[in-house]
Amino acid sequence: NNTGATAEPGEPGSGTSPAPARSTWWSWTATANSTVRITAIPGEPFWDLTLHAYTGSTLGNLAQTAVDGGGDYDPRVLEFPVNSGTTYHIQVDGNHAEEGEFLLQISQRPPPNDPFGGARPIDPGSLPVTVTANNTGATTQTDEPDPDGPGGASLWWSFTPTVSGYYEIDASPSSSNILVYVFTGETLRTLNLIAATSSAAEFYAPAGVTHRIAVHGQSGQEGEVEFRVDALPGYVAPPNDLFANAIAIVPAALNATVTGNNIGATLEAFESQSENLGGIGLRSVWWSWTAPSDGYVEVNTFGSDFDTVVHVFEGTTPRDLLLLAVNDQAPGGGDQSQTGFHASANRTYHISVMGWYGSEGEITLNLLPESGVTRPSNDLFADAEDLGTSVPASHTSTAEGATTQAD
């Protein structure tokens, strides 16, 4: 409100309007190099106002940065580039000494790589690459994943390696508290998590596959962000770190126990995990098992020494896996996992064991005939219950204990 305001001696005005008469002042300091938009909207009854922005420290040395000099009752809008750390002085005046209420708004234009589609490429031929940016004014989009959040104010980069191998993303150089995610996928809705960290994480990247890197401010924090991407040519992971190197469980019989570990394991491009975990699994290792006969099978990690997550899939590549069963914590509690599924004779299933939020350690994986679990009588397609031919028809049942079949 500039009602009753005055002008000071030496106060600058607009080159397109009389000298200031009802001026009010604000100051604002930019926190990032960006583009700012300042809007002054006159209240009712509408009146004619002017809007100026300056830099400088006194009335005598102000330098005009932008001006919207009035002449009608429309809102006044300034849009201009700003420099981080620079203080800008904003003057709202009434044209021809008009006065009244107004709304002053300041917003910074989001950085160009704020949207997923604006991701900036990282050159794989220049590794190691240190990336610096500022996420002030950045947003999050509808359907944008934030699996280790809360995050916010995210920026996007893309990384397409020319050499298959292990890579590291390191968020520790950042002066801001950030969350860094690596995904594969073509749209926000189809992204698969490959790495998540607030410090450093490794991941396996095939040549030619584009990886999407999202950097969030923790709890939406804004400011300078920094991270580093580098190749790890000598990295040593477990032998069954990759899906293609899954260790076959032999002989293919029930009552099988295998051991291993996920120390230093990673996730790989397009690797799947259930969306219903209530958290995330990282550092997966793989086994394959060919069922000797039809029947329900229990899979558990009893005997492992860390917090595990187990998935059972059918499929031939990470891209086409069908999730059949998943568990984080066994029904009896504890850190180990226990689940079950219906196996068909001579079909091969893939089992991944992950660490809850990247936990790692020694793994004991057990397969045995399922017992003590009640499945619905029509759990399997072949056992579908006949509803007859009459309509309308109704039937009461339960899905508790039901499983998913391959195909």
Side-chain angles (χ1 to χ4, degrees):
N1 192 319
N2 74 330
T3 301
T6 62
E8 300 175 73
E11 186 172 335
S14 171
T16 59
S17 66
R22 295 283 186 264
S23 62
T24 51
W25 288 90
W26 284 263
S27 64
W28 172 80
T29 302
T31 58
N33 296 331
S34 65
T35 298
V36 70
R37 182 182 180 91
I38 303 175
T39 305
I41 305 171
E44 295 183 2
F46 296 121
W47 55 286
D48 189 8
L49 55 78
T50 64
L51 179 63
H52 297 73
Y54 303 91
T55 56
S57 56
T58 67
L59 285 176
N61 68 6
L62 292 181
Q64 182 173 285
T65 302
V67 58
D68 189 343
D72 53 39
Y73 301 125
D74 292 335
R76 303 290 167 243
V77 179
L78 306 180
E79 191 167 290
F80 55 94
V82 296
N83 297 316
S84 179
T86 299
T87 298
Y88 296 84
H89 302 279
I90 303 162
Q91 179 198 52
V92 178
D93 192 16
N95 205 18
H96 299 285
E98 292 191 34
E99 57 187 14
E101 294 185 347
F102 59 91
L103 174 66
L104 185 67
Q105 298 175 323
I106 302 177
S107 61
Q108 286 183 264
R109 182 186 296 173
N113 59 332
D114 174 42
F116 176 78
R120 290 181 172 175
I122 295 173
D123 181 11
S126 301
L127 299 182
V129 172
T130 297
V131 178
T132 58
N134 193 298
N135 70 336
T136 301
T139 63
T140 52
Q141 299 171 259
T142 301
D143 297 322
E144 182 170 340
D146 182 15
D148 197 20
S154 63
L155 301 176
W156 289 89
W157 285 264
S158 63
F159 174 64
T160 307
T162 55
V163 177
S164 297
Y166 288 94
Y167 294 84
E168 180 184 55
I169 190 156
D170 185 0
S172 59
S174 181
S175 58
S176 302
N177 294 322
I178 61 175
L179 295 169
V180 180
Y181 301 121
V182 182
F183 302 96
T184 50
E186 304 306 319
T187 68
L188 286 173
R189 287 191 173 187
T190 61
L191 292 179
N192 295 92
L193 179 68
I194 305 304
T197 186
S198 58
S199 53
E202 306 82 27
F203 60 99
Y204 182 84
V209 173
T210 296
H211 291 65
R212 322 286 179 170
I213 299 172
V215 176
H216 286 243
Q218 290 190 21
S219 300
Q221 179 179 332
E222 297 182 340
E224 298 294 328
V225 302
E226 184 175 346
F227 65 95
R228 183 174 180 267
V229 180
D230 197 6
L232 298 174
Y235 190 74
V236 178
N240 55 339
D241 181 36
L242 304 181
F243 176 87
N245 297 331
I247 295 175
I249 298 175
V250 292
L254 288 176
N255 293 305
T257 295
V258 293
T259 59
N261 70 78
N262 74 331
I263 298 170
T266 66
L267 299 183
E268 61 185 298
F270 307 108
E271 184 166 338
S272 299
Q273 62 179 285
S274 172
E275 297 178 354
N276 300 316
L277 286 173
I280 56 175
L282 301 167
R283 300 197 179 282
S284 65
V285 287
W286 290 89
W287 283 268
S288 65
W289 177 74
T290 302
S293 59
D294 292 354
Y296 286 99
V297 180
E298 177 184 322
V299 180
N300 69 60
T301 60
F302 298 156
S304 301
D305 65 4
F306 66 101
D307 194 348
T308 61
V309 180
V310 65
H311 291 76
V312 181
F313 299 98
E314 186 176 50
T316 57
T317 71
R319 277 182 180 267
D320 66 9
L321 292 180
L322 171 67
L323 177 64
L324 301 180
V326 60
N327 181 253
D328 167 32
Q329 292 185 318
D335 288 339
Q336 282 70 56
S337 310
Q338 180 185 29
T339 189
F341 69 105
H342 186 272
S344 298
N346 300 315
R347 300 191 75 151
T348 297
Y349 302 92
H350 285 84
I351 303 167
S352 79
V353 178
M354 297 176 166
W356 182 250
Y357 283 94
S359 297
E360 51 186 13
E362 298 297 323
I363 297 169
T364 300
L365 178 65
N366 307 292
L367 279 73
L368 62 154
E370 188 175 77
S371 64
V373 178
T374 301
R375 303 292 184 186
S377 60
N378 57 341
D379 180 37
L380 305 180
F381 175 80
D383 297 329
E385 292 189 16
D386 186 3
L387 295 177
T389 59
S390 300
V391 290
S394 63
H395 180 76
T396 301
S397 186
T398 178
E400 184 177 354
T403 62
T404 299
Q405 289 179 263
D407 301 328

